[in-house]
Amino acid sequence: MMTRAEWMGQATLFRAPVTALDEPWVADMPSLMSEEADTPSDEEPSSHRPKLRAIFISDLHIGTPGFQAEALLDFLKHHESDMLYLVGDIVDGWQLRRRWFWPQSHNDVVQKLLRRARKGCRVMYVPGNHDEFARHFVGHAFGGVEVMHEATHTMATGQKLWVVHGDYFDGVIQCAKWLAYVGDWLYELTLRINRHLNSWRARMGMDYWSLSAYLKLKVKKAVNFISDFEVAVAHEAQRRGFDGVVCGHIHHAEIRDVNGTLYCNDGDWVESRTALVEHRDGRLEIVRWGGGGQGMGVNSTTSEKAVAA
């Protein structure tokens, strides 16, 4: 695993003043601008899959033990796209501020994303609450990655989707941030238990299973929170004149109609290993990645049906 000193020794993340940032460690972050030379092993493998119009991923939480970096690297190797949206909580500033954790696989993911931008894919980064430090750099492009508060994605059908992380619709984040920090600690504890559980399941020849996702769907208040969140985000997208919305934040991948507005959540890469993709014909699909070049579409829709009143 790379030490903090080794990682910081490469370069600084953004060559701009950072005195206004809340996280003092950000000033020493290594370069997301670093242009490492491509090697033969870096090349994307040939794939039978057609190139996608767009990929949406969020809640990677790079810098935490829960981030499933190898799975994401494998997913990216097998899926190319014209556009790639990073929909918040890409780097986990909250966790890095408490404890430094940055293995080589996490650095590989950062370099893979930068390589996509260098090779012609348009990469857009919409920060969330865990990487809120990046919001100070909205309007800039670093290493070909455009940083923005929110984005508008125009589908192949001409419909417009509002792309936003979603933390502004979380009352805990907005009104009681201290409680969000406590919840984050408890969530990390659940993920730690989940890693040990799945290590045992793997030895027994059993598939990956998410304890935290199971608990969220079994606890009535959590289910109600997810539903309220989806309605609030979809309502705001409709109010702004969009046909639908793409968000993250709650780690619950889904595509559904909410009162005539298309609601899409791309999930996360600490529990569910999911991404939202748009195919060439405008069809949207949530892909749950199993690794080894294998993925399963868990929710898909044609946009025309999804937004029909």
Side-chain angles (χ1 to χ4, degrees):
M1 183 172 67
M2 297 178 68
T3 66
R4 179 174 181 172
E6 290 171 340
W7 196 62
M8 291 191 301
Q10 297 176 18
T12 54
L13 170 61
F14 298 121
R15 305 192 185 282
V18 293
T19 55
L21 302 186
D22 294 329
E23 292 83 354
W25 57 269
V26 175
D28 295 320
M29 285 181 70
S31 178
L32 289 186
M33 300 170 61
S34 61
E35 301 269 340
E36 292 186 0
D38 293 338
T39 64
S41 61
D42 292 330
E43 296 299 321
E44 303 290 339
S46 59
S47 173
H48 65 278
R49 294 181 175 87
K51 191 174 186 180
L52 299 164
R53 285 197 78 245
I55 295 174
F56 303 81
I57 56 175
S58 74
D59 297 274
L60 278 56
H61 294 275
I62 298 175
T64 69
F67 172 42
Q68 301 196 38
E70 297 296 341
L72 180 58
L73 285 168
D74 190 59
F75 171 82
L76 292 173
K77 285 179 181 178
H78 290 87
H79 295 84
E80 296 183 7
S81 63
D82 298 332
M83 291 166 280
L84 173 61
Y85 291 88
L86 307 175
V87 195
D89 285 1
I90 305 304
V91 175
D92 197 321
W94 291 11
Q95 289 289 334
L96 286 173
R97 185 165 52 186
R98 289 198 290 265
R99 182 171 68 94
W100 186 257
F101 183 82
W102 198 272
Q104 182 59 46
S105 61
H106 291 206
N107 209 56
D108 293 342
V109 168
V110 173
Q111 291 301 322
K112 176 69 73 175
L113 297 175
L114 290 169
R115 195 170 298 116
R116 283 288 171 93
R118 292 201 300 270
K119 292 188 174 182
C121 176
R122 186 182 180 194
V123 182
M124 288 154 281
Y125 176 22
V126 178
N129 51 299
H130 281 259
D131 50 9
E132 58 193 347
F133 61 86
R135 287 173 171 158
H136 294 274
F137 302 100
V138 164
H140 297 275
F142 301 101
V145 178
E146 305 170 47
V147 186
M148 51 190 69
H149 274 303
E150 57 190 44
T152 299
H153 175 70
T154 303
M155 299 177 61
T157 58
Q159 294 163 303
K160 294 187 180 298
L161 303 180
W162 183 37
V163 183
V164 62
H165 179 63
D167 55 302
Y168 290 128
F169 298 91
D170 185 340
V172 173
I173 296 294
Q174 298 304 313
C175 303
K177 198 166 186 177
W178 66 271
L179 187 58
Y181 286 130
V182 173
D184 183 61
W185 181 83
L186 292 172
Y187 180 62
E188 181 62 28
L189 177 62
T190 304
L191 291 178
R192 193 175 304 128
I193 296 172
N194 193 65
R195 286 194 294 274
H196 291 298
L197 175 62
N198 276 287
S199 176
W200 174 81
R201 287 175 63 89
R203 289 196 298 271
M204 298 295 293
M206 303 171 71
D207 293 334
Y208 176 83
W209 179 75
S210 175
L211 171 64
S212 52
Y214 172 80
L215 292 175
K216 279 192 294 186
L217 293 178
K218 288 297 181 181
V219 178
K220 184 177 180 180
K221 287 187 177 180
V223 173
N224 289 340
F225 168 78
I226 291 172
S227 177
D228 292 345
F229 175 87
E230 292 173 347
V231 170
V233 175
H235 175 75
E236 180 62 18
Q238 185 181 58
R239 190 188 70 81
R240 292 174 178 237
F242 290 96
D243 298 299
V245 61
V246 178
C247 61
H249 187 60
I250 60 173
H251 296 201
H252 182 72
E254 189 167 17
I255 300 175
R256 74 182 184 98
D257 175 87
V258 179
N259 300 322
T261 299
L262 178 61
Y263 169 85
C264 304
N265 193 301
D266 56 23
D268 66 275
W269 287 86
V270 293
E271 298 177 51
S272 57
R273 299 184 292 196
T274 53
L276 174 71
V277 302
E278 182 191 1
H279 295 274
R280 306 307 298 186
D281 60 0
R283 179 171 57 92
L284 294 171
E285 180 183 18
I286 291 172
V287 177
R288 188 184 303 279
W289 195 244
Q294 300 298 316
M296 177 178 65
V298 294
N299 197 349
S300 66
T301 183
T302 55
S303 56
E304 292 86 353
K305 292 180 181 179
V307 298

